[in-house]
């Protein structure tokens, strides 16, 4: 059987359909209402009817004050005191989280949640637990929130319920936003019309006081603060006094002194004052400020207010005062308020100058006359000091300042020197040098187009490097000008004051014009001074060089160190120093000699007999390690140096090494000493370096000349000795031959043959010595002969046969093109082996001075044998290099110095004054052979193979 439902009886409405119908009705109701109270009531009624929540609270969000203002709702007990309460949002609060993040937040038990503020007490009071907080938003802006709570624990709700609530809140947020926007437009104030009306009214008043009163009244009416005041700036006293107020009609300076609250110093206002000085409006509202938060609290306490809005009154970039509106309660200043106050202050800036127009015009005329007088003084007086004195007198009188200083950058000292300064009679002149400015200050002065003002030197961070010494000398404020605009600050004009001072724009413009004129004079004076100094230095150098040349030509052994002494005298004369000496040593010496040049002061003494080690003396090693001069303090010298350089009055020491070329070793240093206060200009030091360099070259030339003279003398003696010995040998040999002739020919045939052979040999030797004596007495004579290379090798090997047998050397000859047996027979030595390079004989003959070729080859073979180990091998390789040359290479396993190979490759020595391998055997003989081979049309090279074998390679001209 069918049930009633199955039989088609009517069904009750579905719950989902009822919710949709209710949702549509509430949305329609919301769209038809504008009143916020009605909108809140409709929303509250809908949520109470559709959902089971005992606590409902709706609040709107005040964005400016960051608070929530309750607008209505439902509580279990019917109490509505909390529903209309204002809650301040605090950091970390869940209510603030919903407002900021604009997302719903659930709380399982509101009674135990500490992050929900006063709502926790509300939950305890009405015994509700599960709570959900929804944001009321439009686009990205939060307009309020909805708090619903039930007696059950937990915050999970059906998705349909949540969706319905969000739809209703979305519609409510849209309507609230439109209402708020309409209200803002309706309540917004337009400052343009009141300002135009105020401008028209100002023309009706005859004096400044009445105009200021009109501005104060109009401002107070528009902004509606607690007080509205105009404060005027006293530039000399650097304080502000209340000139006009809406409460007291007028406050003069005497009244201000009687009521301290009506006047404030610049030091008290600090950041507030500097903001107004750069034409910035200052506002302080509810927890917001355009100034630093720490200073804001102090300012409000000093002013005895809780909100403040001030706009500067400026004319020609000078701060005349400011217009201030003050509130005793916290307030958020609207843009209309700020614009009106700023505009009103601007109107005051337009009418204020008329009060002192006559005096201002007169002051401009006086400034123009002053500028003309300064310019006339600059271009009239030739003396720089007198010119600057006239400028300083006029400028200090006009500006009411204390000191006038002109600074010039000194590149040698890397600081600023005081070129000129004036000071009061009861003050001492500044004796310190101004240190180098920071990069920031340098760039600021370079780009500056006007005078830089420092009102409070103790607080301003600019020119920080100069602050300590200036403050120590009583300076509290200053004006700074770069005397050459758009250039690096090399000339600076400084005006100082002993108190915190504020100068007008006219005064700063006047000083800027004067500084540019002074810059032109300083530049011309510097060019003239440099030209005169350079001319003096050039004349001194020319004179000194002439004296050095004369000293070099007159220097003899009887006048030892005449050149050095004369140079030291010239150097001391140019520098004006009381002590000049030289530490000198020769190459290879371990001790340095002291050459005193000038000792012009009894406080400067030296021990000329002291033993000074070249390696351990600090002055020598410091000078050798420095390319150029080294400037030292006397305190930097070690005790060992002070033992011989004992000068009580010495404050600074200058040392420089005598250098010529980079490959030449210095053999001396110049030592100059003077008092601590002595200053040596860079140009003078450059001239001294030139003189010392010239001395180094002359001294080197002198040493080379002495060395060459000595060597030439020795060679002449040696040549004379050898020549005379040869003459004696020739004479004795001639006598022996004569005696043999007198004996006659022996009767024995064998003896007769022997005697004839000896006679021929003696006759040949005599003839060779006769030719040597006649043709090669003082120079070599080159013959042109031909000889097979095999014969040349045979004779050379015969000469070294005894040396080969003594050291048991193995000699192999390769590439001659003859049989081994023939070579061994010719050599006559059992230790000499030959290797045939070809089975067909190919005789090779060389052309030239055979005797000299033979001597050179013999020298190379002897050197190879002497450096070869006992029982080792020497190979001789012969091959035709081309149609013109024969290559003869000798290889051995001996040891040779790499430095010798390097010098032989360059065929010269680095420094003739430095010991070399070419000065001693075997390097000297090898160098002679190398030079002879070039004269004979061949070549000689010595080098080392990768397997450390030594190769002596000869290129001999082929016949």
């Amino acid at each position: 059987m069918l049930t009633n439902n199955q039989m088609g009886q009517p069904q009750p409405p579905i719950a989902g359909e009822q919710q949709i119908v209710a949702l549509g009705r509430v949305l329609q109701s919301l769209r038809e209402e504008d009143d916020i109270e009605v909108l809140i009531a409709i929303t509250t009624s809908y949520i109470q009817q559709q959902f089971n929540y005992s606590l409902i609270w709706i609040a709107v969000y005040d964005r400016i004050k960051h608070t929530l203002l309750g607008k209505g709702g439902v509580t279990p007990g019917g109490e509505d005191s909390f529903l209309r309460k204002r809650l301040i949002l605090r950091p970390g609060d869940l209510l603030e989280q919903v407002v900021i993040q604009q997302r719903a937040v659930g709380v399982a038990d509101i009674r135990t949640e500490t992050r929900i503020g006063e709502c926790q007490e509300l939950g305890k009071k009405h015994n509700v637990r599960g709570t959900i907080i929804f944001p009321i938003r439009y686009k990205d802006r939060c307009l309020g929130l909805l708090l619903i709570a039930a007696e059950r624990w937990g915050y999970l709700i059906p998705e349909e319920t949540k969706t319905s609530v969000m739809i209703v809140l979305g519609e409510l947020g849209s309507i609230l936003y439109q209402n708020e926007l309409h209200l803002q437009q309706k309540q917004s104030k337009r400052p343009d019309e009141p300002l135009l009306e105020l401008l028209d009214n100002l023309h009706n008043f005859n004096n400044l006081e009445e105009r200021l009163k009109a501005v104060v009244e109009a401002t107070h009416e528009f902004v509606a603060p607690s007080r509205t005041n105009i404060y005027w700036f006293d530039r000399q006293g650097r304080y502000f006094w209340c000139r006009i107020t809406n409460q007291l009609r007028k406050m003069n300076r005497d009244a201000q002194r009687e009521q301290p609250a009506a006047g404030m110093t610049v030091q008290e206002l600090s950041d507030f004052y500097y903001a107004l000085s750069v034409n910035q409006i200052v506002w302080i509202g509810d927890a917001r400020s355009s100034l630093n938060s720490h200073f804001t609290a102090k300012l409000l306490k000093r002013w005895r207010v809780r909100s403040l809005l001030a706009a500067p009154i400026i004319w020609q970039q000078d701060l005349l005062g400011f217009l201030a509106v003050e509130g005793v309660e916290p307030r958020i200043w609207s843009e209309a308020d700020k614009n009106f106050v700023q505009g009103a202050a601007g109107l005051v800036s337009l009418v204020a100058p008329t009060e002192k127009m006559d005096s201002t015009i007169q002051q401009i005329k006086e400034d123009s006359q002053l500028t003309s007088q300064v310019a006339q003084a600059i271009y009239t007086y030739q003396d720089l000091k007198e010119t600057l004195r006239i400028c300083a007198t006029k400028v200090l009188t006009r500006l009411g300042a204390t000191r006038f200083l002109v600074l010039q950058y000194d590149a040698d000292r890397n600081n600023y020197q005081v070129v000129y300064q004036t000071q009061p009679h009861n003050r001492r002149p500044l004796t310190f040098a101004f240190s180098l400015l920071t990069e920031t200050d340098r760039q600021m002065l370079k780009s500056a187009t006007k005078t830089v003002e420092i009102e409070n030197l103790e607080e301003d961070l600019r020119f920080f490097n100069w602050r300590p010494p200036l403050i120590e000398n009583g300076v509290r404020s200053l004006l700074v000008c770069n005397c050459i605009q758009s250039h690096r600050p090399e000339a600076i004009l400084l005006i100082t004051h002993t108190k915190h001072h504020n100068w007008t724009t006219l005064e700063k413009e006047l000083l800027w014009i004067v500084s540019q004129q002074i810059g032109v004079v300083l530049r011309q004076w510097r060019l003239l001074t440099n030209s005169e100094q350079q001319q003096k230095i050039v004349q001194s150098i020319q004179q000194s060089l002439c004296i050095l040349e004369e000293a070099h030509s007159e220097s003899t052994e009887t006048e030892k160190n005449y050149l050095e002494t004369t140079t030291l005298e010239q150097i001391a004369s140019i520098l004006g120093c009381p002590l000049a000496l030289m530490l000198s040593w020769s190459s290879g010496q371990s001790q340095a000699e002291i050459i005193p040049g000038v000792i012009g002061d009894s406080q400067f003494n030296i021990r000329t007999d002291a033993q000074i080690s070249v390696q351990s003396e600090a002055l020598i090693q410091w000078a050798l390690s420095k390319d150029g001069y080294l400037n030292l303090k006397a305190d930097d010298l070690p005790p060992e140096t002070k033992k011989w350089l004992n000068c009580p009055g010495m404050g600074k020491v200058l040392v420089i090494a005598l250098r010529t070329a980079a490959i030449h070793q210095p053999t001396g240093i110049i030592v100059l000493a003077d008092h601590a206060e002595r200053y040596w200009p860079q140009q003078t030091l450059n001239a001294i370096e030139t003189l010392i360099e010239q001395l180094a070259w002359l001294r080197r030339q002198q040493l080379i000349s002495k060395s060459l003279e000595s060597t030439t003398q020795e060679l002449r003696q040696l040549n004379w000795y050898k020549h005379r010995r040869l003459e004696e040998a020739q004479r004795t040999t001639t006598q022996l031959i004569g005696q043999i002739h007198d004996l006659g020919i022996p009767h024995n045939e064998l003896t007769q043959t022997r005697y004839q052979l000896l006679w021929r040999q003696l006759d040949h030797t005599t003839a060779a010595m006769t030719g040597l004596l006649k043709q090669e007495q003082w120079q070599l004579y080159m013959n042109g002969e031909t000889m097979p290379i095999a014969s040349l090798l045979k004779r050379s090997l015969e000469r070294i046969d005894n040396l080969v047998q003594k050291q048991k050397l193995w000699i192999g000859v390769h590439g001659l093109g003859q049989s081994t047996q023939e070579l061994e027979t010719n050599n006559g030595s059992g230790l000499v082996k030959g290797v045939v390079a070809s089975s067909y004989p190919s005789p090779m003959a060389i052309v030239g001075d055979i005797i000299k070729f033979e001597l050179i080859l013999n020298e190379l073979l002897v050197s190879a044998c002497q450096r070869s180990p006992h029982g080792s091998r020497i190979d001789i390789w012969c091959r035709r290099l081309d149609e013109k040359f024969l290559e003869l290479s000798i290889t051995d396993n001996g040891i040779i110095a790499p430095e010798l190979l390097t010098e032989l490759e360059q065929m010269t020595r680095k420094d003739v004054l430095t010991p070399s391998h070419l000065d001693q055997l075997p390097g000297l003989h090898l160098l002679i052979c190398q030079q002879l081979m070039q004269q004979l049309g061949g070549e000689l090279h010595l080098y080392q193979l990768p397997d450390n074998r030594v190769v002596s390679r000869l290129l001999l001209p082929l016949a």
Side-chain angles (χ1 to χ4, degrees), residues 233-467:
F233 182 45
D234 187 300
R235 195 169 300 278
Q236 298 299 325
R238 297 186 82 244
Y239 68 90
F240 291 91
W241 58 282
C242 186
R243 183 166 185 172
I244 295 293
T245 178
N246 69 309
Q247 296 177 343
L248 300 176
R249 293 300 182 184
K250 182 177 179 181
M251 295 182 65
N252 55 28
R253 300 185 190 183
D254 295 335
Q256 189 272 337
R257 293 191 187 98
E258 295 173 0
Q259 300 178 16
M264 289 159 286
T265 65
V266 169
Q267 188 172 2
E268 288 179 304
L269 297 179
S270 185
D271 293 355
F272 178 84
Y273 165 72
Y274 290 117
L276 295 178
S277 299
V278 294
N279 200 17
Q280 290 183 359
I281 188 170
V282 177
W283 53 268
I284 302 175
D286 186 7
R288 298 186 180 185
S289 173
S290 61
L291 302 175
N292 181 278
S293 59
H294 173 70
F295 179 75
T296 298
K298 293 174 57 178
L299 187 65
L300 293 178
K301 183 178 180 180
R302 173 66 181 86
W303 226 299
R304 296 192 291 272
V305 295
R306 299 187 65 184
S307 58
L308 175 68
L309 178 60
I313 302 172
I314 291 180
W315 182 69
Q316 289 190 345
Q317 301 180 0
D318 290 331
L319 181 65
L320 302 180
F322 62 91
L323 172 62
V325 292
E326 309 162 14
V328 294
E329 296 295 334
R331 176 170 175 176
I332 298 298
W333 303 106
S334 66
E335 290 298 322
D337 295 336
K338 297 178 182 177
N339 293 335
F340 187 91
V341 172
Q342 193 170 18
L347 293 179
V348 176
S349 300
L350 295 177
V351 300
T354 59
E355 182 185 25
K356 298 181 179 179
M357 186 63 70
D358 295 337
S359 61
T360 302
I361 295 174
Q362 182 64 28
Q363 187 64 65
I364 293 175
K365 291 181 180 179
E366 293 177 0
D367 289 347
S368 178
Q369 293 176 359
L370 175 61
T371 305
S372 301
Q373 293 172 359
V374 170
Q376 184 178 1
I378 286 175
Y379 293 106
T380 301
Y381 293 93
Q382 299 297 325
D383 185 9
L384 177 66
K385 301 293 184 181
E386 180 62 20
T387 300
L388 295 178
R389 186 191 67 79
I390 296 175
C391 293
T393 302
K394 296 181 177 298
V395 170
L396 290 179
T397 302
R398 169 67 178 86
L399 301 184
T402 308
R403 294 179 185 266
F404 179 99
L405 296 101
V406 178
L407 309 181
Q408 185 81 35
Y409 175 68
D410 192 328
D412 298 338
R413 298 183 176 97
N414 197 28
N415 58 19
Y416 288 92
Q417 296 291 322
V418 179
V419 176
Y420 179 82
Q421 64 174 316
T422 60
Q423 62 281 331
H425 299 294
N426 59 346
R427 295 277 182 174
R428 296 180 180 180
L430 303 182
T431 57
F432 62 90
F434 287 74
S435 61
L436 190 65
L437 292 172
T438 63
E439 183 63 26
T440 303
D441 291 337
R442 288 200 299 269
Q443 291 299 327
M444 177 188 63
L445 287 181
K446 181 179 179 180
S447 59
T449 57
K450 58 183 180 180
T451 303
V452 178
E453 181 183 21
I454 307 294
E455 294 186 29
N456 189 343
L457 185 61
E458 297 167 331
E459 296 181 356
D460 206 308
L461 295 180
R462 292 173 294 178
F463 305 102
F464 187 80
N465 293 355
W466 295 353
R467 187 163 70 175

Side-chain angles (χ1 to χ4, degrees), residues 103-119:
R103 291 188 301 178
V105 172
V107 179
D109 190 348
I110 191 174
R111 298 176 303 175
T112 60
E113 179 58 61
T114 59
R115 294 178 299 164
I116 205 166
E118 296 182 25
C119 294

Side-chain angles (χ1 to χ4, degrees), residues 157-169:
I157 62 175
E159 193 65 29
E160 303 85 31
T161 303
K162 182 179 179 182
T163 303
S164 300
V165 172
M166 295 301 293
I167 292 174
V168 173
L169 294 182

Side-chain angles (χ1 to χ4, degrees), residues 718-774:
L718 179 62
N719 191 63
W720 174 84
Y721 171 73
K722 287 185 177 181
H723 198 72
R724 291 296 179 264
R725 289 294 302 268
L726 285 173
E727 287 179 347
E728 180 65 21
Q730 191 267 347
R731 186 183 65 80
T732 304
T733 305
T734 304
Q735 290 179 355
L736 291 175
I737 293 175
Q739 293 176 2
I740 292 175
H741 279 290
D742 294 340
L743 290 176
I745 300 174
H747 298 287
N748 189 307
E749 183 177 356
L750 180 61
T751 306
Q752 182 180 4
T753 304
R754 184 63 176 170
Y755 269 93
Q756 289 178 352
L757 180 60
L758 290 175
W759 180 80
R760 290 176 183 175
Q761 291 176 351
L762 286 174
D763 195 16
H764 179 72
T765 302
T766 304
M769 286 190 295
T770 302
L772 174 65
L773 294 173
K774 289 182 178 181

Side-chain angles (χ1 to χ4, degrees), residues 557 586-587 698-716 909 911-916 919:
E557 286 296 328
S586 301
S587 180
L698 291 176
R699 195 163 180 264
R700 174 179 172 79
Q701 182 181 355
Q702 195 176 68
L703 293 174
I704 291 176
S705 298
K706 291 181 181 179
S707 176
L708 294 178
E709 288 177 3
S710 176
T711 304
T712 302
Q713 183 178 2
E714 292 177 358
L715 291 176
R716 287 176 177 175
R909 54 197 298 179
D911 187 359
V912 296
L913 299 178
T914 304
S916 171
D919 292 337

Side-chain angles (χ1 to χ4, degrees), residues 792-828:
L792 180 63
L793 285 174
K794 174 185 174 184
R795 294 175 58 173
S796 298
L797 292 174
E798 287 177 351
R799 284 187 170 212
I800 65 170
D801 188 60
N802 291 334
L803 184 58
V804 169
Q805 292 184 17
K806 180 179 179 181
Q807 294 191 228
K808 298 186 181 298
L809 300 174
W810 193 96
I811 298 181
V813 181
H814 314 271
L816 287 180
Q818 58 187 13
S819 64
T820 304
Q821 292 80 6
E822 178 184 355
L823 184 61
E824 290 178 353
T825 302
N826 291 339
N827 286 342

